[in-house]
mmCIF file with all atom_site columns, all heavy atoms in Angstrom:
data_model
loop_
_atom_site.group_PDB
_atom_site.id
_atom_site.type_symbol
_atom_site.label_atom_id
_atom_site.label_alt_id
_atom_site.label_comp_id
_atom_site.label_asym_id
_atom_site.label_entity_id
_atom_site.label_seq_id
_atom_site.pdbx_PDB_ins_code
_atom_site.Cartn_x
_atom_site.Cartn_y
_atom_site.Cartn_z
_atom_site.occupancy
_atom_site.B_iso_or_equiv
_atom_site.pdbx_formal_charge
_atom_site.auth_seq_id
_atom_site.auth_comp_id
_atom_site.auth_asym_id
_atom_site.auth_atom_id
_atom_site.pdbx_PDB_model_num
ATOM 1  N N   . LYS J 1 27  ? -33.567 35.121 -10.187 1.00 98.00 ? 27  LYS J N   1
ATOM 2  C CA  . LYS J 1 27  ? -32.122 35.381 -10.205 1.00 98.00 ? 27  LYS J CA  1
ATOM 3  C C   . LYS J 1 27  ? -31.428 34.429 -11.180 1.00 98.00 ? 27  LYS J C   1
ATOM 4  O O   . LYS J 1 27  ? -30.518 34.829 -11.918 1.00 98.00 ? 27  LYS J O   1
ATOM 5  C CB  . LYS J 1 27  ? -31.544 35.218 -8.795  1.00 98.00 ? 27  LYS J CB  1
ATOM 6  C CG  . LYS J 1 27  ? -32.019 36.302 -7.815  1.00 98.00 ? 27  LYS J CG  1
ATOM 7  C CD  . LYS J 1 27  ? -31.478 36.055 -6.410  1.00 98.00 ? 27  LYS J CD  1
ATOM 8  C CE  . LYS J 1 27  ? -32.267 36.820 -5.356  1.00 98.00 ? 27  LYS J CE  1
ATOM 9  N NZ  . LYS J 1 27  ? -32.264 38.264 -5.515  1.00 98.00 ? 27  LYS J NZ  1
ATOM 10 N N   . GLU J 1 265 ? -28.632 21.350 7.224   1.00 98.00 ? 265 GLU J N   1
ATOM 11 C CA  . GLU J 1 265 ? -29.057 22.504 6.441   1.00 98.00 ? 265 GLU J CA  1
ATOM 12 C C   . GLU J 1 265 ? -29.677 22.044 5.118   1.00 98.00 ? 265 GLU J C   1
ATOM 13 O O   . GLU J 1 265 ? -30.902 22.001 4.988   1.00 98.00 ? 265 GLU J O   1
ATOM 14 C CB  . GLU J 1 265 ? -27.855 23.438 6.256   1.00 98.00 ? 265 GLU J CB  1
ATOM 15 C CG  . GLU J 1 265 ? -27.350 23.907 7.638   1.00 98.00 ? 265 GLU J CG  1
ATOM 16 C CD  . GLU J 1 265 ? -26.262 24.956 7.596   1.00 98.00 ? 265 GLU J CD  1
ATOM 17 O OE1 . GLU J 1 265 ? -25.561 25.101 6.589   1.00 98.00 ? 265 GLU J OE1 1
ATOM 18 O OE2 . GLU J 1 265 ? -26.112 25.661 8.629   1.00 98.00 ? 265 GLU J OE2 1
ATOM 19 N N   . GLN J 1 285 ? -20.994 21.211 -0.673  1.00 98.00 ? 285 GLN J N   1
ATOM 20 C CA  . GLN J 1 285 ? -19.679 21.544 -1.259  1.00 98.00 ? 285 GLN J CA  1
ATOM 21 C C   . GLN J 1 285 ? -19.771 21.208 -2.737  1.00 98.00 ? 285 GLN J C   1
ATOM 22 O O   . GLN J 1 285 ? -19.070 20.306 -3.230  1.00 98.00 ? 285 GLN J O   1
ATOM 23 C CB  . GLN J 1 285 ? -18.563 20.722 -0.601  1.00 98.00 ? 285 GLN J CB  1
ATOM 24 C CG  . GLN J 1 285 ? -18.568 20.711 0.907   1.00 98.00 ? 285 GLN J CG  1
ATOM 25 C CD  . GLN J 1 285 ? -18.081 22.002 1.523   1.00 98.00 ? 285 GLN J CD  1
ATOM 26 O OE1 . GLN J 1 285 ? -17.865 23.000 0.837   1.00 98.00 ? 285 GLN J OE1 1
ATOM 27 N NE2 . GLN J 1 285 ? -17.899 21.993 2.827   1.00 98.00 ? 285 GLN J NE2 1
ATOM 28 N N   . THR J 1 302 ? -12.396 19.125 -9.041  1.00 98.00 ? 302 THR J N   1
ATOM 29 C CA  . THR J 1 302 ? -13.041 20.395 -8.727  1.00 98.00 ? 302 THR J CA  1
ATOM 30 C C   . THR J 1 302 ? -13.562 21.062 -9.995  1.00 98.00 ? 302 THR J C   1
ATOM 31 O O   . THR J 1 302 ? -12.926 21.017 -11.047 1.00 98.00 ? 302 THR J O   1
ATOM 32 C CB  . THR J 1 302 ? -12.073 21.355 -8.009  1.00 98.00 ? 302 THR J CB  1
ATOM 33 O OG1 . THR J 1 302 ? -10.891 21.498 -8.790  1.00 98.00 ? 302 THR J OG1 1
ATOM 34 C CG2 . THR J 1 302 ? -11.701 20.842 -6.634  1.00 98.00 ? 302 THR J CG2 1
ATOM 35 N N   . PRO J 1 323 ? -16.060 30.095 -5.870  1.00 98.00 ? 323 PRO J N   1
ATOM 36 C CA  . PRO J 1 323 ? -17.260 29.285 -5.646  1.00 98.00 ? 323 PRO J CA  1
ATOM 37 C C   . PRO J 1 323 ? -18.451 29.686 -6.518  1.00 98.00 ? 323 PRO J C   1
ATOM 38 O O   . PRO J 1 323 ? -18.782 30.868 -6.624  1.00 98.00 ? 323 PRO J O   1
ATOM 39 C CB  . PRO J 1 323 ? -17.584 29.536 -4.163  1.00 98.00 ? 323 PRO J CB  1
ATOM 40 C CG  . PRO J 1 323 ? -16.288 29.918 -3.547  1.00 98.00 ? 323 PRO J CG  1
ATOM 41 C CD  . PRO J 1 323 ? -15.555 30.688 -4.614  1.00 98.00 ? 323 PRO J CD  1
ATOM 42 N N   . PHE J 1 326 ? -25.877 27.541 -5.651  1.00 98.00 ? 326 PHE J N   1
ATOM 43 C CA  . PHE J 1 326 ? -27.218 27.061 -5.927  1.00 98.00 ? 326 PHE J CA  1
ATOM 44 C C   . PHE J 1 326 ? -27.840 27.806 -7.111  1.00 98.00 ? 326 PHE J C   1
ATOM 45 O O   . PHE J 1 326 ? -28.453 27.196 -7.989  1.00 98.00 ? 326 PHE J O   1
ATOM 46 C CB  . PHE J 1 326 ? -28.025 27.280 -4.652  1.00 98.00 ? 326 PHE J CB  1
ATOM 47 C CG  . PHE J 1 326 ? -29.406 26.711 -4.626  1.00 98.00 ? 326 PHE J CG  1
ATOM 48 C CD1 . PHE J 1 326 ? -29.623 25.396 -4.236  1.00 98.00 ? 326 PHE J CD1 1
ATOM 49 C CD2 . PHE J 1 326 ? -30.496 27.492 -4.959  1.00 98.00 ? 326 PHE J CD2 1
ATOM 50 C CE1 . PHE J 1 326 ? -30.907 24.878 -4.179  1.00 98.00 ? 326 PHE J CE1 1
ATOM 51 C CE2 . PHE J 1 326 ? -31.787 26.978 -4.907  1.00 98.00 ? 326 PHE J CE2 1
ATOM 52 C CZ  . PHE J 1 326 ? -31.989 25.667 -4.519  1.00 98.00 ? 326 PHE J CZ  1
ATOM 53 N N   . GLU Z 1 265 ? -6.065  26.834 -5.681  1.00 98.00 ? 265 GLU Z N   1
ATOM 54 C CA  . GLU Z 1 265 ? -7.045  27.393 -6.597  1.00 98.00 ? 265 GLU Z CA  1
ATOM 55 C C   . GLU Z 1 265 ? -7.246  28.881 -6.299  1.00 98.00 ? 265 GLU Z C   1
ATOM 56 O O   . GLU Z 1 265 ? -6.687  29.737 -6.982  1.00 98.00 ? 265 GLU Z O   1
ATOM 57 C CB  . GLU Z 1 265 ? -8.331  26.568 -6.519  1.00 98.00 ? 265 GLU Z CB  1
ATOM 58 C CG  . GLU Z 1 265 ? -8.030  25.105 -6.910  1.00 98.00 ? 265 GLU Z CG  1
ATOM 59 C CD  . GLU Z 1 265 ? -9.243  24.211 -7.039  1.00 98.00 ? 265 GLU Z CD  1
ATOM 60 O OE1 . GLU Z 1 265 ? -10.298 24.510 -6.474  1.00 98.00 ? 265 GLU Z OE1 1
ATOM 61 O OE2 . GLU Z 1 265 ? -9.122  23.172 -7.746  1.00 98.00 ? 265 GLU Z OE2 1
ATOM 62 N N   . GLN Z 1 285 ? -14.649 28.118 1.086   1.00 98.00 ? 285 GLN Z N   1
ATOM 63 C CA  . GLN Z 1 285 ? -15.862 27.664 1.788   1.00 98.00 ? 285 GLN Z CA  1
ATOM 64 C C   . GLN Z 1 285 ? -16.522 28.904 2.367   1.00 98.00 ? 285 GLN Z C   1
ATOM 65 O O   . GLN Z 1 285 ? -16.612 29.063 3.585   1.00 98.00 ? 285 GLN Z O   1
ATOM 66 C CB  . GLN Z 1 285 ? -15.518 26.681 2.921   1.00 98.00 ? 285 GLN Z CB  1
ATOM 67 C CG  . GLN Z 1 285 ? -14.586 25.560 2.555   1.00 98.00 ? 285 GLN Z CG  1
ATOM 68 C CD  . GLN Z 1 285 ? -15.245 24.483 1.723   1.00 98.00 ? 285 GLN Z CD  1
ATOM 69 O OE1 . GLN Z 1 285 ? -16.387 24.612 1.292   1.00 98.00 ? 285 GLN Z OE1 1
ATOM 70 N NE2 . GLN Z 1 285 ? -14.522 23.419 1.479   1.00 98.00 ? 285 GLN Z NE2 1
ATOM 71 N N   . THR Z 1 302 ? -22.785 29.618 10.017  1.00 98.00 ? 302 THR Z N   1
ATOM 72 C CA  . THR Z 1 302 ? -23.049 29.479 8.591   1.00 98.00 ? 302 THR Z CA  1
ATOM 73 C C   . THR Z 1 302 ? -23.975 30.580 8.090   1.00 98.00 ? 302 THR Z C   1
ATOM 74 O O   . THR Z 1 302 ? -24.905 30.994 8.790   1.00 98.00 ? 302 THR Z O   1
ATOM 75 C CB  . THR Z 1 302 ? -23.686 28.107 8.275   1.00 98.00 ? 302 THR Z CB  1
ATOM 76 O OG1 . THR Z 1 302 ? -24.843 27.937 9.090   1.00 98.00 ? 302 THR Z OG1 1
ATOM 77 C CG2 . THR Z 1 302 ? -22.716 26.974 8.530   1.00 98.00 ? 302 THR Z CG2 1
ATOM 78 N N   . PRO Z 1 323 ? -25.742 26.804 -1.279  1.00 98.00 ? 323 PRO Z N   1
ATOM 79 C CA  . PRO Z 1 323 ? -24.516 27.577 -1.463  1.00 98.00 ? 323 PRO Z CA  1
ATOM 80 C C   . PRO Z 1 323 ? -24.698 28.854 -2.270  1.00 98.00 ? 323 PRO Z C   1
ATOM 81 O O   . PRO Z 1 323 ? -25.317 28.852 -3.328  1.00 98.00 ? 323 PRO Z O   1
ATOM 82 C CB  . PRO Z 1 323 ? -23.595 26.598 -2.211  1.00 98.00 ? 323 PRO Z CB  1
ATOM 83 C CG  . PRO Z 1 323 ? -24.108 25.245 -1.869  1.00 98.00 ? 323 PRO Z CG  1
ATOM 84 C CD  . PRO Z 1 323 ? -25.599 25.416 -1.734  1.00 98.00 ? 323 PRO Z CD  1
ATOM 85 N N   . PHE Z 1 326 ? -19.114 33.265 -5.390  1.00 98.00 ? 326 PHE Z N   1
ATOM 86 C CA  . PHE Z 1 326 ? -18.320 34.420 -5.777  1.00 98.00 ? 326 PHE Z CA  1
ATOM 87 C C   . PHE Z 1 326 ? -19.177 35.501 -6.422  1.00 98.00 ? 326 PHE Z C   1
ATOM 88 O O   . PHE Z 1 326 ? -19.032 36.687 -6.107  1.00 98.00 ? 326 PHE Z O   1
ATOM 89 C CB  . PHE Z 1 326 ? -17.264 33.896 -6.762  1.00 98.00 ? 326 PHE Z CB  1
ATOM 90 C CG  . PHE Z 1 326 ? -16.213 34.872 -7.166  1.00 98.00 ? 326 PHE Z CG  1
ATOM 91 C CD1 . PHE Z 1 326 ? -15.068 35.028 -6.409  1.00 98.00 ? 326 PHE Z CD1 1
ATOM 92 C CD2 . PHE Z 1 326 ? -16.330 35.600 -8.345  1.00 98.00 ? 326 PHE Z CD2 1
ATOM 93 C CE1 . PHE Z 1 326 ? -14.065 35.906 -6.810  1.00 98.00 ? 326 PHE Z CE1 1
ATOM 94 C CE2 . PHE Z 1 326 ? -15.333 36.478 -8.747  1.00 98.00 ? 326 PHE Z CE2 1
ATOM 95 C CZ  . PHE Z 1 326 ? -14.201 36.637 -7.975  1.00 98.00 ? 326 PHE Z CZ  1
#
Side-chain angles (χ1 to χ4, degrees):
Chain J
K27 292 177 198 300
E265 300 186 338
Q285 311 285 8
T302 54
F326 187 86
Chain Z
E265 300 187 338
Q285 311 285 7
T302 54
F326 188 87

